[in-house]
Amino acid sequence: MERLHVLGTGNAAVTRCYNTCFALETKGEYILCDAGGGNGILRQLKAAGIGLECIRHFILTHAHCDHLLGAVWLIRMIGTAMNNGKYDGDWHIYCHQTVAEGLRMMAKLMLAGKICALLDGRIQFHLVEEGTEVDLLGHQVRFFDILSTKMLQFGFSLQLSDHRLLCCLGDEPYNPACSAPVSQCQWLLSEAFCLFSQQERFKPYEKHHSTVLDAAKLAQGQQVPHLVLWHTEDANIENRKQLYTAEARQVYQGDLHVPDDLEVIDLV
């Protein structure tokens, strides 16, 4: 059985939780997706009990700062571990070409030469395009362009050990042109910027985001049995789980998760 370690649940501007990123645990190793906006990723991984040496694969969906900048710290720390003989094998990063070019540039500006020397060696970049398929820790992963109107971004579907599918939509609203991975999945990971009742306050549509009600309607319409909502505002984080759950339950009847940072979800 796989487990989803929720490292962060917030949008780009949060201060009371970490930016949305997660790790999929399978047989004691991890696939990490996104890294948040800074070295807080190191704190979150430590709090989750996830050692850097156990992260074998790293997916970066796009180049927004709240998803990308933590990757520089991971390159620094994993590169240092490699140079000190504390990381076995190679580390694999999956992203599109612009993200890879940006990471190489930032590394050369910010990190020591002996770490940069590992790039495209033991730290390998694997470029993804529409329909790219890879095997990560025994799981078939297929990437798809979410057709963002802001910046090139890839979501992905991942086959779990029991052959069910998990689908990560990235951090923008669902585009009907991407219906295939959503209609086929059993676990849907969706952004939900705020409550529909708070749209005038947070203006999600101006920012190309969904509300809780939008995401819940999508999951119900596609008959997705398990829904995870995150990438949210944090103005009322103490009551977020209760409020978001109540709004989603107006339309969604399946298994619903509104996690806090560092929650672990069993993908059963």
Side-chain angles (χ1 to χ4, degrees):
M1 178 186 70
E2 297 81 17
R3 302 201 299 169
L4 192 70
H5 292 258
V6 181
L7 300 174
T9 56
N11 63 35
V14 295
T15 59
R16 305 176 68 200
C17 58
Y18 194 59
N19 309 122
T20 298
C21 52
F22 64 93
L24 180 77
E25 178 186 359
T26 178
K27 298 179 181 178
E29 294 186 305
Y30 297 86
I31 302 166
L32 179 64
C33 180
D34 291 336
N39 74 344
I41 185 62
L42 306 179
R43 178 189 64 242
Q44 297 303 97
L45 288 169
K46 183 176 181 180
I50 299 175
L52 295 175
E53 71 282 359
C54 299
I55 301 172
R56 310 312 304 179
H57 302 281
F58 178 37
I59 296 171
L60 270 168
T61 58
H62 63 299
H64 283 161
C65 61
D66 58 314
H67 297 258
L68 176 68
L69 295 183
V72 178
W73 288 93
L74 291 174
I75 290 173
R76 176 181 177 179
M77 300 307 294
I78 289 178
T80 298
M82 286 177 171
N83 286 327
N84 291 337
K86 296 181 179 180
Y87 188 101
D88 295 330
D90 298 334
W91 187 44
H92 301 272
I93 301 174
Y94 302 84
C95 60
H96 63 74
Q97 184 171 347
T98 302
V99 172
E101 290 173 353
L103 270 179
R104 290 190 188 97
M105 181 181 300
M106 286 189 288
K108 290 175 182 178
L109 287 171
M110 301 176 185
L111 303 180
K114 60 183 179 181
I115 294 177
C116 294
L118 298 167
L119 298 177
D120 300 303
R122 291 188 63 193
I123 299 177
Q124 299 183 16
F125 290 94
H126 304 270
L127 300 184
V128 304
E129 299 177 342
E130 172 68 31
T132 296
E133 295 187 10
V134 294
D135 183 298
L136 306 185
L137 302 180
H139 301 280
Q140 288 300 118
V141 177
R142 187 180 189 277
F143 293 91
F144 60 92
D145 187 340
I146 72 166
L147 303 176
S148 169
T149 57
K150 295 191 296 186
M151 177 182 288
L152 181 61
Q153 180 175 169
F154 284 86
F156 61 88
S157 60
L158 180 146
Q159 188 177 67
L160 300 170
S161 57
D162 58 5
H163 302 293
R164 293 181 302 162
L165 287 178
L166 175 149
C167 179
C168 173
L169 277 179
D171 76 349
E172 289 195 28
Y174 163 76
N175 188 314
C178 302
S179 62
V182 175
S183 63
Q184 297 169 6
C185 77
Q186 285 72 48
W187 282 90
L188 180 63
L189 313 181
S190 176
E191 56 91 23
F193 195 80
C194 65
L195 297 169
F196 181 80
S197 61
Q198 294 179 318
Q199 59 176 300
E200 292 301 318
R201 176 182 177 185
F202 293 107
K203 303 187 186 309
Y205 304 128
E206 292 182 14
K207 301 178 177 71
H208 301 270
H209 287 302
S210 303
T211 67
V212 171
L213 194 62
D214 296 327
K217 285 181 177 178
L218 167 65
Q220 185 66 30
Q222 296 287 343
Q223 298 183 315
V224 177
H226 306 276
L227 174 63
V228 179
L229 300 179
W230 50 24
H231 204 273
T232 79
E233 50 78 28
D234 66 343
N236 190 3
I237 197 168
E238 296 86 356
N239 299 306
R240 179 180 63 180
K241 187 187 294 284
Q242 177 184 355
L243 293 170
Y244 281 37
T245 297
E247 182 165 284
R249 283 296 179 213
Q250 296 176 27
V251 296
Y252 181 67
Q253 300 172 2
D255 175 41
L256 176 65
H257 299 264
V258 183
D260 293 318
D261 287 14
L262 301 176
E263 281 194 29
V264 179
I265 300 172
D266 293 329
L267 300 177
V268 295

